[in-house]
Amino acid sequence: MITYPDIRDLQVLLALARRKHFTQAASDCGISQPAFSARIRHLEEDLGVPLVRRGNRFLGFTREGERVIRWASRLLADAEGLRQDMDVARGELRGRLVLGVVPTALPYAADISTRLRKAHPGLAIEIASQTSAQIVRALSDYSVDAGIVYRAYMEDTSLRFEPVYEERYVLLLSRELAPRSKGTVTWAEAASLPLCLLGKDMHFRRVVDDAFNEAGVNPEPVMETNAFTAVLAQVAIGAAATIAPQSLADSLLLSGKTVSLALVGPRVSQEIGIAVQDHELTLPAITALYEAIRTHDKQNGLHNRKI
């Protein structure tokens, strides 16, 4: 008779894939390290292949182990969908929703997640700040359930994408550095200022660089970072200006010493939306996420979404 892997054994394997450390993975699973190792050995015996390269510490997975991880991720995602579906049938959505979110969309994700939790208190939401490329990979290996991501990264994927808003840009800077206290500023004007920008590995930075190129200027930032918190700290102390999404700037508690000017010449926008695996059966938590977005749009007078 054919035997199938135990779901718990697959969960243990994925915990090891996340942590890459036996003790830490065992702690995440709430079991002792000997029990954890026994689960891994049991899975290897069931499948008839070695999955983990062992030594005095974790050395990685075998080629077969990497393939099992991909299958396990998909199987456990489907198992979570099944469990959530039955919870909904009993009248209450429970479980977990993991969102991969580009850094510029974190305020939007926080707003939507708050609405989602209010509607479904039994749903736990995890938000991971990731680049667009990381989100596409994470969706493919089922380590996130949905992504809030730039449309530009969806063209060569099989993922389903639904737009939610247009990202537009402002210049944030201290009053001492600002060319004016309100209104607009050109990209060429912004290029003449000391700028602190996100790193070149991020899609947002490529959008910014393309806008500067279109304006015919090539600024040299005084500082680059992969964290908006570091960028905003430079703005707060008046050391540099930065380019930020309008939605992010609107969510900040800016002091009276900080000026926000809409960028023009050219006017630039990027479409951001929800990306998910294109399956016939949708995770109930994702359906609830779409409903939270519709509620948000209705309350904010936005009625043209496809979601």
Side-chain angles (χ1 to χ4, degrees), residues 177-213:
L177 290 176
R180 59 196 63 89
S181 62
K182 59 182 179 180
T184 63
V185 64
T186 67
W187 288 88
E189 285 180 289
S192 68
L193 297 166
L195 291 171
C196 178
L197 300 176
L198 290 180
K200 290 182 179 293
D201 61 325
M202 305 185 76
H203 179 76
F204 177 79
R205 175 61 184 277
R206 290 192 283 276
V207 172
V208 169
D209 286 347
D210 286 346
F212 280 128
N213 288 335

PDB file of all heavy atoms in Angstrom, residues 177-213:
ATOM      1  N   LEU A 177      16.048  73.487   3.579  1.00  0.00           N
ATOM      2  CA  LEU A 177      16.502  73.040   2.261  1.00  0.00           C
ATOM      3  C   LEU A 177      15.476  73.308   1.160  1.00  0.00           C
ATOM      4  O   LEU A 177      15.823  73.317  -0.025  1.00  0.00           O
ATOM      5  CB  LEU A 177      16.806  71.539   2.286  1.00  0.00           C
ATOM      6  CG  LEU A 177      18.023  71.068   3.081  1.00  0.00           C
ATOM      7  CD1 LEU A 177      18.097  69.535   3.053  1.00  0.00           C
ATOM      8  CD2 LEU A 177      19.304  71.663   2.517  1.00  0.00           C
ATOM      9  N   ALA A 178      14.206  73.516   1.546  1.00  0.00           N
ATOM     10  CA  ALA A 178      13.118  73.577   0.563  1.00  0.00           C
ATOM     11  C   ALA A 178      13.183  74.844  -0.302  1.00  0.00           C
ATOM     12  O   ALA A 178      13.399  75.945   0.213  1.00  0.00           O
ATOM     13  CB  ALA A 178      11.772  73.519   1.275  1.00  0.00           C
ATOM     14  N   PRO A 179      12.978  74.695  -1.620  1.00  0.00           N
ATOM     15  CA  PRO A 179      12.929  75.867  -2.495  1.00  0.00           C
ATOM     16  C   PRO A 179      11.660  76.687  -2.291  1.00  0.00           C
ATOM     17  O   PRO A 179      11.608  77.864  -2.636  1.00  0.00           O
ATOM     18  CB  PRO A 179      12.976  75.255  -3.903  1.00  0.00           C
ATOM     19  CG  PRO A 179      12.418  73.884  -3.727  1.00  0.00           C
ATOM     20  CD  PRO A 179      12.861  73.445  -2.366  1.00  0.00           C
ATOM     21  N   ARG A 180      10.624  76.068  -1.734  1.00  0.00           N
ATOM     22  CA  ARG A 180       9.366  76.751  -1.404  1.00  0.00           C
ATOM     23  C   ARG A 180       8.644  75.925  -0.343  1.00  0.00           C
ATOM     24  O   ARG A 180       8.983  74.756  -0.130  1.00  0.00           O
ATOM     25  CB  ARG A 180       8.507  76.947  -2.654  1.00  0.00           C
ATOM     26  CG  ARG A 180       8.124  75.676  -3.376  1.00  0.00           C
ATOM     27  CD  ARG A 180       7.619  75.955  -4.795  1.00  0.00           C
ATOM     28  NE  ARG A 180       8.672  76.555  -5.611  1.00  0.00           N
ATOM     29  CZ  ARG A 180       9.547  75.827  -6.316  1.00  0.00           C
ATOM     30  NH1 ARG A 180       9.495  74.501  -6.301  1.00  0.00           N
ATOM     31  NH2 ARG A 180      10.479  76.418  -7.018  1.00  0.00           N
ATOM     32  N   SER A 181       7.655  76.501   0.295  1.00  0.00           N
ATOM     33  CA  SER A 181       7.008  75.825   1.424  1.00  0.00           C
ATOM     34  C   SER A 181       5.840  74.934   1.024  1.00  0.00           C
ATOM     35  O   SER A 181       5.401  74.088   1.800  1.00  0.00           O
ATOM     36  CB  SER A 181       6.537  76.860   2.454  1.00  0.00           C
ATOM     37  OG  SER A 181       5.570  77.725   1.863  1.00  0.00           O
ATOM     38  N   LYS A 182       5.306  75.116  -0.184  1.00  0.00           N
ATOM     39  CA  LYS A 182       4.197  74.270  -0.635  1.00  0.00           C
ATOM     40  C   LYS A 182       4.122  74.298  -2.158  1.00  0.00           C
ATOM     41  O   LYS A 182       4.814  75.082  -2.815  1.00  0.00           O
ATOM     42  CB  LYS A 182       2.876  74.746  -0.038  1.00  0.00           C
ATOM     43  CG  LYS A 182       2.499  76.173  -0.368  1.00  0.00           C
ATOM     44  CD  LYS A 182       1.195  76.561   0.321  1.00  0.00           C
ATOM     45  CE  LYS A 182       0.823  78.018   0.021  1.00  0.00           C
ATOM     46  NZ  LYS A 182      -0.456  78.393   0.686  1.00  0.00           N
ATOM     47  N   GLY A 183       3.269  73.395  -2.700  1.00  0.00           N
ATOM     48  CA  GLY A 183       3.109  73.340  -4.147  1.00  0.00           C
ATOM     49  C   GLY A 183       3.904  72.217  -4.771  1.00  0.00           C
ATOM     50  O   GLY A 183       3.953  71.103  -4.241  1.00  0.00           O
ATOM     51  N   THR A 184       4.568  72.504  -5.890  1.00  0.00           N
ATOM     52  CA  THR A 184       5.279  71.474  -6.649  1.00  0.00           C
ATOM     53  C   THR A 184       6.755  71.811  -6.765  1.00  0.00           C
ATOM     54  O   THR A 184       7.185  72.933  -6.497  1.00  0.00           O
ATOM     55  CB  THR A 184       4.684  71.328  -8.065  1.00  0.00           C
ATOM     56  OG1 THR A 184       4.868  72.559  -8.778  1.00  0.00           O
ATOM     57  CG2 THR A 184       3.210  70.972  -8.020  1.00  0.00           C
ATOM     58  N   VAL A 185       7.511  70.804  -7.181  1.00  0.00           N
ATOM     59  CA  VAL A 185       8.939  70.969  -7.432  1.00  0.00           C
ATOM     60  C   VAL A 185       9.291  70.077  -8.613  1.00  0.00           C
ATOM     61  O   VAL A 185       8.698  69.004  -8.782  1.00  0.00           O
ATOM     62  CB  VAL A 185       9.766  70.590  -6.189  1.00  0.00           C
ATOM     63  CG1 VAL A 185       9.600  69.114  -5.845  1.00  0.00           C
ATOM     64  CG2 VAL A 185      11.237  70.930  -6.370  1.00  0.00           C
ATOM     65  N   THR A 186      10.209  70.491  -9.460  1.00  0.00           N
ATOM     66  CA  THR A 186      10.599  69.657 -10.596  1.00  0.00           C
ATOM     67  C   THR A 186      11.667  68.653 -10.166  1.00  0.00           C
ATOM     68  O   THR A 186      12.385  68.859  -9.179  1.00  0.00           O
ATOM     69  CB  THR A 186      11.142  70.505 -11.755  1.00  0.00           C
ATOM     70  OG1 THR A 186      12.389  71.105 -11.354  1.00  0.00           O
ATOM     71  CG2 THR A 186      10.144  71.573 -12.173  1.00  0.00           C
ATOM     72  N   TRP A 187      11.776  67.601 -10.953  1.00  0.00           N
ATOM     73  CA  TRP A 187      12.816  66.614 -10.696  1.00  0.00           C
ATOM     74  C   TRP A 187      14.195  67.252 -10.843  1.00  0.00           C
ATOM     75  O   TRP A 187      15.130  66.908 -10.117  1.00  0.00           O
ATOM     76  CB  TRP A 187      12.663  65.426 -11.641  1.00  0.00           C
ATOM     77  CG  TRP A 187      11.487  64.555 -11.314  1.00  0.00           C
ATOM     78  CD1 TRP A 187      10.216  64.709 -11.764  1.00  0.00           C
ATOM     79  CD2 TRP A 187      11.478  63.410 -10.456  1.00  0.00           C
ATOM     80  NE1 TRP A 187       9.395  63.727 -11.236  1.00  0.00           N
ATOM     81  CE2 TRP A 187      10.148  62.914 -10.441  1.00  0.00           C
ATOM     82  CE3 TRP A 187      12.444  62.749  -9.710  1.00  0.00           C
ATOM     83  CZ2 TRP A 187       9.770  61.789  -9.705  1.00  0.00           C
ATOM     84  CZ3 TRP A 187      12.076  61.614  -8.969  1.00  0.00           C
ATOM     85  CH2 TRP A 187      10.753  61.160  -8.968  1.00  0.00           C
ATOM     86  N   ALA A 188      14.324  68.191 -11.773  1.00  0.00           N
ATOM     87  CA  ALA A 188      15.608  68.875 -11.954  1.00  0.00           C
ATOM     88  C   ALA A 188      15.981  69.675 -10.713  1.00  0.00           C
ATOM     89  O   ALA A 188      17.145  69.688 -10.287  1.00  0.00           O
ATOM     90  CB  ALA A 188      15.540  69.780 -13.178  1.00  0.00           C
ATOM     91  N   GLU A 189      14.998  70.336 -10.102  1.00  0.00           N
ATOM     92  CA  GLU A 189      15.263  71.067  -8.862  1.00  0.00           C
ATOM     93  C   GLU A 189      15.676  70.104  -7.757  1.00  0.00           C
ATOM     94  O   GLU A 189      16.606  70.380  -6.982  1.00  0.00           O
ATOM     95  CB  GLU A 189      14.017  71.834  -8.433  1.00  0.00           C
ATOM     96  CG  GLU A 189      13.703  73.077  -9.231  1.00  0.00           C
ATOM     97  CD  GLU A 189      12.446  73.759  -8.725  1.00  0.00           C
ATOM     98  OE1 GLU A 189      11.342  73.202  -8.934  1.00  0.00           O
ATOM     99  OE2 GLU A 189      12.569  74.846  -8.120  1.00  0.00           O
ATOM    100  N   ALA A 190      14.964  68.979  -7.672  1.00  0.00           N
ATOM    101  CA  ALA A 190      15.281  67.988  -6.636  1.00  0.00           C
ATOM    102  C   ALA A 190      16.701  67.460  -6.787  1.00  0.00           C
ATOM    103  O   ALA A 190      17.391  67.199  -5.797  1.00  0.00           O
ATOM    104  CB  ALA A 190      14.281  66.841  -6.691  1.00  0.00           C
ATOM    105  N   ALA A 191      17.157  67.325  -8.050  1.00  0.00           N
ATOM    106  CA  ALA A 191      18.488  66.773  -8.303  1.00  0.00           C
ATOM    107  C   ALA A 191      19.601  67.668  -7.778  1.00  0.00           C
ATOM    108  O   ALA A 191      20.721  67.199  -7.513  1.00  0.00           O
ATOM    109  CB  ALA A 191      18.670  66.549  -9.800  1.00  0.00           C
ATOM    110  N   SER A 192      19.311  68.954  -7.610  1.00  0.00           N
ATOM    111  CA  SER A 192      20.341  69.887  -7.149  1.00  0.00           C
ATOM    112  C   SER A 192      20.512  69.863  -5.632  1.00  0.00           C
ATOM    113  O   SER A 192      21.421  70.499  -5.096  1.00  0.00           O
ATOM    114  CB  SER A 192      19.988  71.308  -7.597  1.00  0.00           C
ATOM    115  OG  SER A 192      18.817  71.773  -6.918  1.00  0.00           O
ATOM    116  N   LEU A 193      19.656  69.120  -4.932  1.00  0.00           N
ATOM    117  CA  LEU A 193      19.685  69.072  -3.467  1.00  0.00           C
ATOM    118  C   LEU A 193      20.497  67.879  -2.972  1.00  0.00           C
ATOM    119  O   LEU A 193      20.667  66.887  -3.691  1.00  0.00           O
ATOM    120  CB  LEU A 193      18.256  68.971  -2.940  1.00  0.00           C
ATOM    121  CG  LEU A 193      17.339  70.157  -3.255  1.00  0.00           C
ATOM    122  CD1 LEU A 193      15.886  69.783  -2.995  1.00  0.00           C
ATOM    123  CD2 LEU A 193      17.738  71.376  -2.428  1.00  0.00           C
ATOM    124  N   PRO A 194      20.987  67.916  -1.730  1.00  0.00           N
ATOM    125  CA  PRO A 194      21.612  66.711  -1.149  1.00  0.00           C
ATOM    126  C   PRO A 194      20.521  65.647  -0.922  1.00  0.00           C
ATOM    127  O   PRO A 194      19.579  65.889  -0.165  1.00  0.00           O
ATOM    128  CB  PRO A 194      22.196  67.214   0.171  1.00  0.00           C
ATOM    129  CG  PRO A 194      21.393  68.437   0.506  1.00  0.00           C
ATOM    130  CD  PRO A 194      21.020  69.058  -0.798  1.00  0.00           C
ATOM    131  N   LEU A 195      20.651  64.521  -1.591  1.00  0.00           N
ATOM    132  CA  LEU A 195      19.600  63.505  -1.568  1.00  0.00           C
ATOM    133  C   LEU A 195      20.043  62.249  -0.828  1.00  0.00           C
ATOM    134  O   LEU A 195      21.178  61.776  -0.986  1.00  0.00           O
ATOM    135  CB  LEU A 195      19.201  63.122  -2.997  1.00  0.00           C
ATOM    136  CG  LEU A 195      18.460  64.178  -3.815  1.00  0.00           C
ATOM    137  CD1 LEU A 195      18.328  63.732  -5.274  1.00  0.00           C
ATOM    138  CD2 LEU A 195      17.084  64.443  -3.215  1.00  0.00           C
ATOM    139  N   CYS A 196      19.129  61.699  -0.061  1.00  0.00           N
ATOM    140  CA  CYS A 196      19.281  60.371   0.533  1.00  0.00           C
ATOM    141  C   CYS A 196      18.226  59.484  -0.110  1.00  0.00           C
ATOM    142  O   CYS A 196      17.027  59.764  -0.002  1.00  0.00           O
ATOM    143  CB  CYS A 196      19.086  60.425   2.052  1.00  0.00           C
ATOM    144  SG  CYS A 196      19.210  58.813   2.861  1.00  0.00           S
ATOM    145  N   LEU A 197      18.654  58.432  -0.809  1.00  0.00           N
ATOM    146  CA  LEU A 197      17.742  57.594  -1.587  1.00  0.00           C
ATOM    147  C   LEU A 197      17.870  56.133  -1.213  1.00  0.00           C
ATOM    148  O   LEU A 197      18.888  55.699  -0.666  1.00  0.00           O
ATOM    149  CB  LEU A 197      18.024  57.760  -3.088  1.00  0.00           C
ATOM    150  CG  LEU A 197      17.873  59.164  -3.677  1.00  0.00           C
ATOM    151  CD1 LEU A 197      18.288  59.166  -5.139  1.00  0.00           C
ATOM    152  CD2 LEU A 197      16.454  59.685  -3.510  1.00  0.00           C
ATOM    153  N   LEU A 198      16.818  55.364  -1.531  1.00  0.00           N
ATOM    154  CA  LEU A 198      16.882  53.917  -1.360  1.00  0.00           C
ATOM    155  C   LEU A 198      17.903  53.325  -2.323  1.00  0.00           C
ATOM    156  O   LEU A 198      18.228  53.921  -3.362  1.00  0.00           O
ATOM    157  CB  LEU A 198      15.513  53.291  -1.597  1.00  0.00           C
ATOM    158  CG  LEU A 198      14.443  53.562  -0.537  1.00  0.00           C
ATOM    159  CD1 LEU A 198      13.137  52.874  -0.911  1.00  0.00           C
ATOM    160  CD2 LEU A 198      14.895  53.106   0.842  1.00  0.00           C
ATOM    161  N   GLY A 199      18.395  52.118  -2.012  1.00  0.00           N
ATOM    162  CA  GLY A 199      19.440  51.483  -2.799  1.00  0.00           C
ATOM    163  C   GLY A 199      19.007  51.118  -4.209  1.00  0.00           C
ATOM    164  O   GLY A 199      17.826  50.961  -4.507  1.00  0.00           O
ATOM    165  N   LYS A 200      19.995  50.937  -5.084  1.00  0.00           N
ATOM    166  CA  LYS A 200      19.743  50.661  -6.492  1.00  0.00           C
ATOM    167  C   LYS A 200      19.145  49.276  -6.737  1.00  0.00           C
ATOM    168  O   LYS A 200      18.679  48.986  -7.840  1.00  0.00           O
ATOM    169  CB  LYS A 200      21.041  50.805  -7.293  1.00  0.00           C
ATOM    170  CG  LYS A 200      21.528  52.243  -7.412  1.00  0.00           C
ATOM    171  CD  LYS A 200      22.793  52.315  -8.246  1.00  0.00           C
ATOM    172  CE  LYS A 200      23.283  53.747  -8.407  1.00  0.00           C
ATOM    173  NZ  LYS A 200      22.353  54.560  -9.209  1.00  0.00           N
ATOM    174  N   ASP A 201      19.165  48.381  -5.739  1.00  0.00           N
ATOM    175  CA  ASP A 201      18.593  47.048  -5.918  1.00  0.00           C
ATOM    176  C   ASP A 201      17.072  47.057  -5.771  1.00  0.00           C
ATOM    177  O   ASP A 201      16.422  46.035  -6.004  1.00  0.00           O
ATOM    178  CB  ASP A 201      19.190  46.065  -4.901  1.00  0.00           C
ATOM    179  CG  ASP A 201      18.902  46.464  -3.464  1.00  0.00           C
ATOM    180  OD1 ASP A 201      18.873  47.683  -3.184  1.00  0.00           O
ATOM    181  OD2 ASP A 201      18.718  45.560  -2.625  1.00  0.00           O
ATOM    182  N   MET A 202      16.483  48.196  -5.427  1.00  0.00           N
ATOM    183  CA  MET A 202      15.044  48.269  -5.191  1.00  0.00           C
ATOM    184  C   MET A 202      14.341  48.898  -6.390  1.00  0.00           C
ATOM    185  O   MET A 202      14.846  49.847  -7.010  1.00  0.00           O
ATOM    186  CB  MET A 202      14.756  49.062  -3.916  1.00  0.00           C
ATOM    187  CG  MET A 202      15.489  48.505  -2.700  1.00  0.00           C
ATOM    188  SD  MET A 202      15.069  49.327  -1.162  1.00  0.00           S
ATOM    189  CE  MET A 202      13.469  48.620  -0.830  1.00  0.00           C
ATOM    190  N   HIS A 203      13.148  48.370  -6.704  1.00  0.00           N
ATOM    191  CA  HIS A 203      12.389  48.864  -7.853  1.00  0.00           C
ATOM    192  C   HIS A 203      12.068  50.343  -7.704  1.00  0.00           C
ATOM    193  O   HIS A 203      12.130  51.103  -8.684  1.00  0.00           O
ATOM    194  CB  HIS A 203      11.095  48.054  -8.010  1.00  0.00           C
ATOM    195  CG  HIS A 203      10.238  48.521  -9.150  1.00  0.00           C
ATOM    196  ND1 HIS A 203      10.535  48.241 -10.456  1.00  0.00           N
ATOM    197  CD2 HIS A 203       9.116  49.286  -9.174  1.00  0.00           C
ATOM    198  CE1 HIS A 203       9.629  48.806 -11.246  1.00  0.00           C
ATOM    199  NE2 HIS A 203       8.764  49.435 -10.485  1.00  0.00           N
ATOM    200  N   PHE A 204      11.745  50.770  -6.498  1.00  0.00           N
ATOM    201  CA  PHE A 204      11.426  52.172  -6.261  1.00  0.00           C
ATOM    202  C   PHE A 204      12.574  53.077  -6.711  1.00  0.00           C
ATOM    203  O   PHE A 204      12.355  54.126  -7.327  1.00  0.00           O
ATOM    204  CB  PHE A 204      11.124  52.408  -4.779  1.00  0.00           C
ATOM    205  CG  PHE A 204      10.857  53.843  -4.430  1.00  0.00           C
ATOM    206  CD1 PHE A 204       9.622  54.410  -4.693  1.00  0.00           C
ATOM    207  CD2 PHE A 204      11.837  54.632  -3.856  1.00  0.00           C
ATOM    208  CE1 PHE A 204       9.363  55.745  -4.386  1.00  0.00           C
ATOM    209  CE2 PHE A 204      11.597  55.956  -3.537  1.00  0.00           C
ATOM    210  CZ  PHE A 204      10.354  56.519  -3.805  1.00  0.00           C
ATOM    211  N   ARG A 205      13.800  52.679  -6.430  1.00  0.00           N
ATOM    212  CA  ARG A 205      14.957  53.484  -6.833  1.00  0.00           C
ATOM    213  C   ARG A 205      15.066  53.541  -8.353  1.00  0.00           C
ATOM    214  O   ARG A 205      15.421  54.602  -8.917  1.00  0.00           O
ATOM    215  CB  ARG A 205      16.230  52.908  -6.224  1.00  0.00           C
ATOM    216  CG  ARG A 205      17.511  53.610  -6.689  1.00  0.00           C
ATOM    217  CD  ARG A 205      17.550  55.099  -6.323  1.00  0.00           C
ATOM    218  NE  ARG A 205      18.741  55.726  -6.858  1.00  0.00           N
ATOM    219  CZ  ARG A 205      19.923  55.686  -6.265  1.00  0.00           C
ATOM    220  NH1 ARG A 205      20.068  55.064  -5.089  1.00  0.00           N
ATOM    221  NH2 ARG A 205      20.964  56.271  -6.810  1.00  0.00           N
ATOM    222  N   ARG A 206      14.763  52.460  -9.027  1.00  0.00           N
ATOM    223  CA  ARG A 206      14.824  52.488 -10.493  1.00  0.00           C
ATOM    224  C   ARG A 206      13.772  53.437 -11.062  1.00  0.00           C
ATOM    225  O   ARG A 206      14.017  54.111 -12.068  1.00  0.00           O
ATOM    226  CB  ARG A 206      14.669  51.073 -11.047  1.00  0.00           C
ATOM    227  CG  ARG A 206      15.875  50.188 -10.761  1.00  0.00           C
ATOM    228  CD  ARG A 206      15.829  48.908 -11.564  1.00  0.00           C
ATOM    229  NE  ARG A 206      14.898  47.943 -11.001  1.00  0.00           N
ATOM    230  CZ  ARG A 206      15.225  47.112 -10.012  1.00  0.00           C
ATOM    231  NH1 ARG A 206      16.434  47.141  -9.477  1.00  0.00           N
ATOM    232  NH2 ARG A 206      14.341  46.243  -9.555  1.00  0.00           N
ATOM    233  N   VAL A 207      12.596  53.497 -10.428  1.00  0.00           N
ATOM    234  CA  VAL A 207      11.564  54.448 -10.846  1.00  0.00           C
ATOM    235  C   VAL A 207      12.086  55.873 -10.694  1.00  0.00           C
ATOM    236  O   VAL A 207      11.933  56.722 -11.590  1.00  0.00           O
ATOM    237  CB  VAL A 207      10.279  54.265 -10.012  1.00  0.00           C
ATOM    238  CG1 VAL A 207       9.273  55.376 -10.305  1.00  0.00           C
ATOM    239  CG2 VAL A 207       9.649  52.904 -10.295  1.00  0.00           C
ATOM    240  N   VAL A 208      12.718  56.151  -9.554  1.00  0.00           N
ATOM    241  CA  VAL A 208      13.261  57.476  -9.281  1.00  0.00           C
ATOM    242  C   VAL A 208      14.356  57.828 -10.292  1.00  0.00           C
ATOM    243  O   VAL A 208      14.375  58.935 -10.856  1.00  0.00           O
ATOM    244  CB  VAL A 208      13.808  57.548  -7.838  1.00  0.00           C
ATOM    245  CG1 VAL A 208      14.615  58.818  -7.608  1.00  0.00           C
ATOM    246  CG2 VAL A 208      12.646  57.469  -6.841  1.00  0.00           C
ATOM    247  N   ASP A 209      15.279  56.895 -10.541  1.00  0.00           N
ATOM    248  CA  ASP A 209      16.364  57.157 -11.486  1.00  0.00           C
ATOM    249  C   ASP A 209      15.831  57.398 -12.896  1.00  0.00           C
ATOM    250  O   ASP A 209      16.343  58.264 -13.626  1.00  0.00           O
ATOM    251  CB  ASP A 209      17.350  55.987 -11.492  1.00  0.00           C
ATOM    252  CG  ASP A 209      18.230  55.958 -10.248  1.00  0.00           C
ATOM    253  OD1 ASP A 209      18.248  56.962  -9.509  1.00  0.00           O
ATOM    254  OD2 ASP A 209      18.884  54.925 -10.006  1.00  0.00           O
ATOM    255  N   ASP A 210      14.803  56.628 -13.292  1.00  0.00           N
ATOM    256  CA  ASP A 210      14.205  56.833 -14.620  1.00  0.00           C
ATOM    257  C   ASP A 210      13.594  58.226 -14.744  1.00  0.00           C
ATOM    258  O   ASP A 210      13.687  58.869 -15.795  1.00  0.00           O
ATOM    259  CB  ASP A 210      13.141  55.769 -14.891  1.00  0.00           C
ATOM    260  CG  ASP A 210      13.731  54.396 -15.183  1.00  0.00           C
ATOM    261  OD1 ASP A 210      14.952  54.314 -15.431  1.00  0.00           O
ATOM    262  OD2 ASP A 210      12.959  53.407 -15.149  1.00  0.00           O
ATOM    263  N   ALA A 211      12.964  58.703 -13.670  1.00  0.00           N
ATOM    264  CA  ALA A 211      12.364  60.042 -13.690  1.00  0.00           C
ATOM    265  C   ALA A 211      13.446  61.116 -13.809  1.00  0.00           C
ATOM    266  O   ALA A 211      13.294  62.095 -14.557  1.00  0.00           O
ATOM    267  CB  ALA A 211      11.532  60.258 -12.432  1.00  0.00           C
ATOM    268  N   PHE A 212      14.538  60.952 -13.071  1.00  0.00           N
ATOM    269  CA  PHE A 212      15.646  61.902 -13.190  1.00  0.00           C
ATOM    270  C   PHE A 212      16.216  61.890 -14.612  1.00  0.00           C
ATOM    271  O   PHE A 212      16.523  62.943 -15.183  1.00  0.00           O
ATOM    272  CB  PHE A 212      16.748  61.581 -12.176  1.00  0.00           C
ATOM    273  CG  PHE A 212      16.473  62.073 -10.783  1.00  0.00           C
ATOM    274  CD1 PHE A 212      16.561  61.220  -9.692  1.00  0.00           C
ATOM    275  CD2 PHE A 212      16.149  63.407 -10.559  1.00  0.00           C
ATOM    276  CE1 PHE A 212      16.323  61.673  -8.400  1.00  0.00           C
ATOM    277  CE2 PHE A 212      15.911  63.876  -9.263  1.00  0.00           C
ATOM    278  CZ  PHE A 212      16.001  63.010  -8.188  1.00  0.00           C
ATOM    279  N   ASN A 213      16.367  60.694 -15.184  1.00  0.00           N
ATOM    280  CA  ASN A 213      16.887  60.587 -16.553  1.00  0.00           C
ATOM    281  C   ASN A 213      15.969  61.304 -17.542  1.00  0.00           C
ATOM    282  O   ASN A 213      16.438  61.995 -18.457  1.00  0.00           O
ATOM    283  CB  ASN A 213      17.044  59.123 -16.951  1.00  0.00           C
ATOM    284  CG  ASN A 213      18.201  58.446 -16.236  1.00  0.00           C
ATOM    285  OD1 ASN A 213      19.149  59.109 -15.806  1.00  0.00           O
ATOM    286  ND2 ASN A 213      18.137  57.132 -16.106  1.00  0.00           N
TER     287      ASN A 213
END
